[in-house]
Amino acid sequence: MDLLISAFDILLRWDVALALLAGSVGGVLIGAIPGVGPAVAIAILLPATFSLDPIVGLTVLLGIYGSSMYGGAIPAILINTPGTAVNALTTYDGHPMTARGEPRRALSLAYSASFFGGVFSVVCLILFAPVLAKVAPMFGSREIFLAALLGLILVVVAHRGQTLIAGALACLGIFLNTIGMEPVKYTQRYTFGQDFLGGGINLIVVVLGLFALSQAFVLLTDEDEKIRVSRLRGGLFQGLRELARHPRVAGVSASFGVLMGMIPGVGEFTAQFMSYTYAQKTSKRPQDFGRGSSEGLIAAETSNNAVPAAAMVPLLALGIPGEALTAMMLSVFYVHNVVPGPGLFQNDMDFVVALYLALLILNVLVLVFLLFATGALVQVVRIPNRFLGVCILTLSFVGVYSLRNSVTDCLLAAGFGVFGFVLKRLSLPAVPIILGMVLGGIMEVKLRAAMARIKTPFDFIDRPVAFILFSLIIIVLVAHVLRVRKDRLSLKEAEWQTKTASTSFGALMWRRRNSFLKAHGKKVRARHSRLLRRLTGLF
């Protein structure tokens, strides 16, 4: 009880209340504009938050992070264009409802599901906060290094089909972090005699370039689209009643969001598809999914809004961001000398609870705002792309210049903006670069601190938490290799099947091959196993 009272004392300030209101309303507006998204908004606002108190700056950023998905459902449902990337699955069942004349019902259901997911996530994490406070002291330098390494590996392998390029971009981020002054002996690294590289490459410069400026270039080069918005009819409060008729889907989807949000590099997409698949497989009417199913819409919106609060767990408990948005928030902590990690849960537990309460209040504010302002909000989807692009471009350069009053930073940001634009056009991820920069710095410092007490490689994993993290790294790598191998074998088999089935002789051979394996498959595999044991026995 004392902890909650102390947390409310932190929140009961006029500047925190204003930050909550601005973050919640601003996040909804940003999410409702296709092509902008929370990453661009947070990147632009990041320099301004450095001059604010940590609780005020983080409340604004958390407000945008948590409420943008609410707003992103508006264009996804009305015009079949997701406002944010994570609202793509909302279009599957939201827009078909609009097509059959039920846009207000779809919006109401999306708001209600998002509200339930957000509140469920925050309540779970407030209840688990004492457990995290007990676990956090078990993490020393080597454990944090292994946790950061695990987070980086999870981020890389999460980009299925693009693992190699994601790993290369993560290594690029690690290299960018090494440029400038070395953190232990304070010697210059990779500056090549250039004075402007002596201070290193600022993370905010890279963030603004890769996310804000690149998106501005995309909007400026794309043509404006004429958008027609359906007229809203019906009551917005009916979604709360309809959500109550599907408690199982809502509860399981919110649980998936919490679990996936706590794992670095996984996030909303995995939680969404797991929830959507579960809802479809357990539904009494699976044929309605993709055609306007209320269960499908609940699964998509509940799971993605349960992630933001859960994503703060690795950031606050270990100081390890799991995605680009939490990596940006980490810089706000560092500017104000608030170091996330085990010490934060031991010494500033009221600050942690205040952040979770801010997320809880945020969800209430957003729901009330949307229930009464949706009619006016739907008009923001008509803002021209090029006008948005010019606004983002201007604000981004103002933000970069305000960091150190440096034209060089603006030029670097422009260079990273062009690079991010190329990545977007090639459909390649930019997030591994940011996480490589953040996690690379953490890994370097913690590894050097840990090596002072280590004599043999086995000493690095001689503690329980370190051994568990090391085992998880091995399991993730082995599972990824097996999955890649399985995908390649399936692809080759499908190609061979397509090739042989194109002729009558090939089709005949394919049927004989399947029947032979069905009849004698166990014998063949047993014979191969005996042969393999004999060969290995020779060595």
Side-chain angles (χ1 to χ4, degrees):
M1 184 59 69
D2 293 338
L3 194 61
L4 285 175
I5 294 174
S6 179
F8 273 115
D9 286 340
I10 296 174
L11 292 177
L12 292 178
R13 292 165 37 186
W14 70 269
D15 51 354
V16 177
L18 187 62
L20 267 172
L21 184 62
S24 57
V25 175
V28 171
L29 292 172
I30 289 161
I33 303 173
V36 181
V40 175
I42 290 176
I44 293 173
L45 288 174
L46 206 55
T49 59
F50 291 161
S51 59
L52 304 174
D53 286 344
I55 185 64
V56 179
L58 286 169
T59 299
V60 173
L61 299 183
L62 279 174
I64 294 172
Y65 181 27
S67 62
S68 61
M69 298 174 198
Y70 282 87
I74 295 175
I77 290 171
L78 296 181
I79 60 174
N80 203 28
T81 302
T84 67
V86 297
N87 291 110
L89 200 59
T90 306
T91 61
Y92 285 20
D93 294 286
H95 188 66
M97 287 186 182
T98 301
R100 66 177 183 234
E102 299 175 328
R104 194 175 284 265
R105 176 196 169 208
L107 288 172
S108 176
L109 193 58
Y111 299 157
S112 304
S114 298
F115 175 75
F116 177 80
V119 171
F120 181 90
S121 177
V122 175
V123 170
C124 286
L125 296 174
I126 290 176
L127 295 175
F128 293 154
V131 178
L132 294 174
K134 293 179 181 179
V135 174
M138 299 180 184
F139 282 79
S141 297
R142 69 189 76 173
E143 285 82 7
I144 294 178
F145 167 79
L146 289 171
L149 180 60
L150 176 61
L152 196 61
I153 291 172
L154 285 170
V155 168
V156 171
V157 300
H159 292 86
R160 191 168 182 175
Q162 296 180 320
T163 306
L164 291 179
I165 190 65
L169 292 173
C171 291
L172 174 63
I174 294 174
F175 171 73
L176 291 174
N177 183 72
T178 62
I179 296 174
M181 193 74 72
E182 186 263 334
V184 177
K185 296 184 179 179
Y186 300 104
T187 56
Q188 296 288 335
R189 296 188 300 191
Y190 305 114
T191 57
F192 306 105
Q194 302 296 320
D195 293 336
F196 71 93
L197 291 176
I201 296 179
N202 194 294
L203 174 66
I204 310 306
V205 172
V206 181
V207 167
L208 281 165
L210 288 177
F211 289 93
L213 289 176
S214 65
Q215 188 61 36
F217 295 153
V218 170
L219 293 171
L220 289 171
T221 53
D222 289 344
E223 295 183 358
D224 292 333
E225 298 179 3
K226 293 183 179 180
I227 298 172
R228 304 178 69 179
V229 181
S230 304
R231 187 177 178 181
L232 300 181
R233 297 174 182 172
L236 278 171
F237 289 94
Q238 65 185 19
L240 293 170
R241 295 191 296 270
E242 191 168 357
L243 178 69
R245 293 199 293 268
H246 302 285
R248 176 182 51 81
V249 174
V252 173
S253 300
S255 301
F256 276 131
V258 171
L259 292 174
M260 296 301 105
M262 294 174 66
I263 302 174
V266 179
E268 295 92 347
F269 291 105
T270 306
Q272 275 186 313
F273 283 101
M274 291 177 69
S275 303
Y276 194 86
T277 302
Y278 168 81
Q280 186 175 21
K281 289 185 178 298
T282 58
S283 174
K284 295 179 180 178
R285 298 183 60 84
Q287 68 275 11
D288 291 345
F289 280 69
R291 300 177 182 177
S293 170
S294 58
E295 291 178 281
L297 186 57
I298 289 171
E301 284 296 304
T302 304
S303 56
N304 65 22
N305 275 270
V307 170
M312 297 296 291
V313 172
L315 177 70
L316 295 174
L318 303 175
I320 296 171
E323 56 180 358
L325 299 180
T326 48
M328 297 180 200
M329 294 180 197
L330 185 63
S331 61
V332 180
F333 282 96
Y334 286 155
V335 165
H336 294 285
N337 293 321
V338 178
V339 181
L344 186 64
F345 277 81
Q346 289 180 301
N347 305 322
D348 296 307
M349 194 62 189
D350 54 346
F351 181 80
V352 176
V353 176
L355 286 178
Y356 286 139
L357 288 176
L359 274 172
L360 188 63
I361 298 170
L362 163 75
N363 282 280
V364 177
L365 288 175
V366 172
L367 181 65
V368 173
F369 173 70
L370 283 172
L371 289 177
F372 293 99
T374 297
L377 281 174
V378 296
Q379 304 304 319
V380 301
V381 302
R382 296 180 176 178
I383 299 176
N385 289 344
R386 291 175 182 174
F387 176 76
L388 284 175
V390 171
C391 292
I392 293 172
L393 201 67
T394 305
L395 292 172
S396 299
F397 278 121
V398 170
V400 171
Y401 187 77
S402 67
L403 289 172
R404 296 185 288 196
N405 297 330
S406 171
V407 177
T408 304
D409 284 346
C410 293
L411 295 175
L412 284 172
F416 282 108
V418 174
F419 183 55
F421 175 75
V422 173
L423 291 178
K424 286 180 183 291
R425 288 304 188 198
L426 295 176
S427 299
L428 298 177
V431 174
I433 299 176
I434 303 301
L435 293 178
M437 290 188 69
V438 175
L439 296 178
I442 295 172
M443 290 165 61
E444 180 181 8
V445 172
K446 297 302 179 183
L447 178 62
R448 287 193 170 191
M451 291 303 292
R453 303 180 183 90
I454 291 174
K455 297 180 180 179
T456 65
F458 294 102
D459 292 341
F460 208 87
I461 55 174
D462 62 350
R463 296 198 294 213
V465 176
F467 181 77
I468 291 171
L469 291 170
F470 179 76
S471 301
L472 288 174
I473 290 173
I474 299 299
I475 291 171
V476 169
L477 291 175
V478 171
H480 177 68
V481 171
L482 293 176
R483 187 180 67 182
V484 170
R485 183 174 177 272
K486 182 180 178 181
D487 291 343
R488 288 183 178 179
L489 291 175
S490 300
L491 180 61
K492 288 181 179 179
E493 186 171 340
E495 290 176 351
W496 188 75
Q497 181 180 4
T498 304
K499 185 177 180 180
T500 55
S502 60
T503 63
S504 58
F505 176 74
L508 177 63
M509 294 299 295
W510 179 256
R511 287 195 297 269
R512 288 186 176 180
R513 175 256 189 193
N514 286 338
S515 61
F516 175 80
L517 287 178
K518 186 176 181 180
H520 305 287
K522 292 183 178 179
K523 294 181 180 179
V524 172
R525 284 192 291 270
R527 189 179 303 165
H528 287 175
S529 299
R530 288 196 298 271
L531 180 60
L532 182 62
R533 285 196 296 270
R534 290 175 183 175
L535 290 174
T536 53
L538 296 176
F539 300 96

